[in-house]
Amino acid sequence: MSFELPALPYAQDALAPVMSAETLEYHHGKHHQAYVTMGNKLLEGSGLEGKSLEEVVRESYGKSERTALFNNASQHLNHLHFWKWMKPNGGGAIPGALEAKLIEDFGSVAAFKEQFIQAGVGQFGSGWCWLVMDNGKLGVTKTPNGESPMAYGGTALLGCDVWEHSYYIDYRNARPKYLEAFVESLVNWEYVAELFEAAS
Ligand code: MN3
């Protein structure tokens, strides 16, 4: 098995102006590509060849001799989902069962959005913020660098990349504005609901 960069599920300019074609050109075409290329190099001779991507991520997490492989493989996995967590004209209505669960576990959809945005704002330096499902309950968390809840066997339903490469071209230093735009105008709730159904 080797890692491959998938095509974006929409045109490079399809998320503009919320996320520009230039951002996607670099984020998908250069950053994600680099994780794939480096990941493949590091996979060779690692003893994890032939494992699925998810297994490579879990089995390299926290292993000092596999740190570089973990960083690249985990970022590959994170970005495979990230492109699908967005869609043109996203952020609209949330499928019913998922919306009901968000209200049950956060009190309201607005409270969930606020916690998610604050997790992303509060992640010092590079990383991700997440909507996770843990023992049947939804929660919000954040991770540094390339880590994700999936690295320790958790279930990520939604994640937002808060590395500067994800927003600096369009939002400069205004990470909160980027996170608000992600939540309100980019999230592909159908894909989140698909992961929610699979985890339920
Ligand atoms: Mn990224």
Side-chain angles (χ1 to χ4, degrees):
M1 184 211 65
S2 65
F3 305 143
E4 277 178 49
L5 183 73
L8 287 172
Y10 31 73
Q12 204 172 67
D13 61 359
L15 304 181
V18 188
M19 185 176 280
S20 66
E22 188 184 358
T23 288
L24 285 172
E25 179 191 347
Y26 278 80
H27 196 175
H28 174 259
K30 309 276 187 207
H31 290 273
H32 190 174
Q33 179 66 69
Y35 299 133
V36 167
T37 304
M38 276 306 293
N40 281 327
K41 273 191 195 142
L42 293 160
L43 192 58
E44 259 175 63
S46 68
L48 297 177
E49 304 95 326
K51 304 260 186 183
S52 72
L53 173 59
E54 287 79 1
E55 288 170 327
V56 171
V57 168
R58 285 198 299 272
E59 293 178 27
S60 59
Y61 175 66
K63 308 258 169 45
S64 56
E65 72 281 12
R66 288 178 175 155
T67 301
L69 173 60
F70 171 77
N71 287 337
N72 286 279
S74 185
Q75 280 289 71
H76 177 41
L77 178 60
N78 293 345
H79 287 80
L80 287 179
H81 285 292
F82 186 58
W83 311 129
K84 294 195 266 186
W85 276 321
M86 300 185 287
K87 68 170 188 178
N89 304 308
I94 302 173
L98 175 58
E99 184 182 42
K101 184 68 174 158
L102 285 166
I103 293 168
E104 183 186 329
D105 291 346
F106 291 96
S108 66
V109 170
F112 154 70
K113 288 179 176 174
E114 180 60 23
Q115 281 188 41
F116 185 84
I117 289 167
Q118 284 313 314
V121 170
Q123 170 54 41
F124 186 77
S126 297
W128 294 73
C129 57
W130 305 95
L131 170 65
V132 296
M133 180 119 136
D134 188 17
N135 284 321
K137 203 166 189 306
L138 299 180
V140 161
T141 184
K142 59 183 191 281
T143 56
N145 303 313
E147 276 185 42
S148 86
M150 298 174 277
Y152 16 94
T155 304
L157 302 184
L158 174 66
C160 185
D161 187 340
V162 298
W163 287 55
E164 287 182 349
H165 64 226
S166 195
Y167 62 89
Y168 225 82
I169 291 170
D170 300 317
Y171 298 88
R172 296 299 172 191
N173 61 327
R175 190 190 285 186
K177 276 207 170 116
Y178 157 67
L179 280 155
E180 281 160 29
F182 177 84
V183 166
E184 294 305 331
S185 307
L186 288 178
V187 175
N188 178 355
W189 284 111
E190 287 72 30
Y191 183 55
V192 180
E194 207 178 289
L195 297 172
F196 169 66
E197 297 302 334
S200 296

